[in-house]
Amino acid sequence: ETEKSVADYIYESPQNILDMSIQSLAQITYTSTPTILRVCRKLGYDGFKAFKKALLLEIENENHLHAHVDASHPFYKHETPNRIIGSLSSLYKESVESTTALLNLPDLSKIAHDIFSANRFFIYAIGDSKITSQLLANKLLKLNIYALFATGNYQEMQETYNLRRDDYASFVTYKGINQSFKSCASVLKRHHIKTGLITGNAESPLVSLCTTTIRLPNPEGINNIATFHSQISIGFVLNALYALIPSVD
């Protein structure tokens, strides 16, 4: 009965246990320290300190499982490794779920079809988006599709004038405000070359210039410490495109 009293208190008030000494817990449950130690050992722990350490990890994991993570600042200095990994795990889950919810599958399938049908496939991307896009380019090699980076030597305008009507171009830009991309997209539109846009900016001037647009969720602020959400989201869409291409009729 005394052990049940301890177990009931732990179940009902786990957060309180973290700040308690074994003597305090014994006092509040009207038991003794030997009783509490017996409960800890029955739960598989050597002592009360080991039990509290495991309880702390369990509470942190539970909190991160259900907590919303700030995409601009997913973690902060001095946080425990367990809390940082928990935040990162939650951010990956939230990013994929929010991206999936916003996806327009007919438009995504259209881009996959246009990439497959094109004579040449050009990608316009810089910075982190270019790094993420390079992973797609590497995968496409397995489908005998060779992606060319128009932004490879920062001469995208010259490359743009080399595109032909049977080519396809994709702009991968989370913020969608690159002026050079706007100029290139204008040229491609005038030359009736099909283009796709992947962006988190619904107000981007590229939206009206490109043939098909895939919208991404945009929870990151201006002062985000890293582009975790945007690159997870972009990577997920590019992987989805790669997965759809083999099913193109």
Side-chain angles (χ1 to χ4, degrees), residues 4-223:
K4 184 178 183 302
S5 175
V6 174
D8 286 346
Y9 186 84
I10 292 172
Y11 178 78
E12 293 172 3
S13 308
Q15 193 72 45
N16 295 344
I17 303 292
L18 302 179
D19 298 319
M20 284 186 175
S21 65
I22 190 171
Q23 291 82 9
S24 299
L25 180 58
Q27 184 178 7
I28 203 168
T29 56
Y30 301 101
T31 59
S32 63
T33 55
T35 300
I36 294 171
L37 289 173
R38 282 199 304 273
V39 171
C40 291
R41 292 189 184 106
K42 285 184 178 181
L43 292 173
Y45 302 100
D46 293 335
F48 187 62
K49 285 185 178 180
F51 168 72
K52 284 210 303 182
K53 183 178 180 181
L55 181 62
L56 173 62
L57 292 176
E58 181 66 25
I59 289 173
E60 286 190 346
N61 285 336
E62 184 68 17
N63 287 341
H64 282 290
L65 184 63
H66 300 290
H68 169 72
V69 180
D70 183 352
S72 299
H73 297 275
F75 41 77
Y76 295 87
K77 190 177 181 181
H78 303 311
E79 286 190 331
T80 64
N82 185 69
R83 190 172 182 83
I84 290 172
I85 296 303
S87 292
L88 195 58
S89 175
S90 295
L91 182 59
Y92 266 80
K93 182 174 182 291
E94 287 185 18
S95 299
V96 170
E97 287 180 348
S98 60
T99 301
T100 301
L102 199 58
L103 270 183
N104 183 307
L105 294 181
D107 285 344
L108 193 68
S109 297
K110 184 179 187 308
I111 291 178
H113 178 273
D114 289 341
I115 291 173
F116 179 78
S117 304
N119 179 43
R120 296 180 300 174
F121 172 42
F122 288 81
I123 297 176
Y124 291 74
I126 59 174
D128 289 340
S129 295
K130 181 180 179 181
I131 294 171
T132 305
S133 298
Q134 284 171 332
L135 297 176
L136 171 66
N138 184 60
K139 291 185 178 77
L140 289 175
L141 290 174
K142 300 173 178 64
L143 301 178
N144 203 31
I145 297 173
Y146 296 85
L148 305 171
F149 280 87
T151 49
N153 296 312
Y154 300 98
Q155 296 178 325
E156 54 266 24
M157 184 53 73
Q158 289 177 266
E159 292 283 3
T160 297
Y161 279 105
N162 289 328
L163 268 72
R164 299 189 291 264
R165 288 281 296 272
D166 57 354
D167 293 330
Y168 186 76
S170 180
F171 292 86
V172 183
T173 167
Y174 191 67
K175 293 183 178 179
I177 56 176
N178 187 294
Q179 289 301 312
S180 178
F181 285 5
K182 180 182 177 182
S183 299
C184 293
S186 296
V187 171
L188 295 173
K189 185 175 183 179
R190 287 199 307 271
H191 292 178
H192 304 288
I193 296 170
K194 292 181 180 179
T195 53
L197 170 64
I198 298 172
T199 185
N201 182 5
E203 305 300 322
S204 169
L206 293 170
V207 172
S208 62
L209 295 172
C210 290
T211 311
T212 313
T213 297
I214 297 298
R215 283 268 320 281
L216 304 175
N218 187 11
E220 289 180 352
I222 296 173
N223 298 316

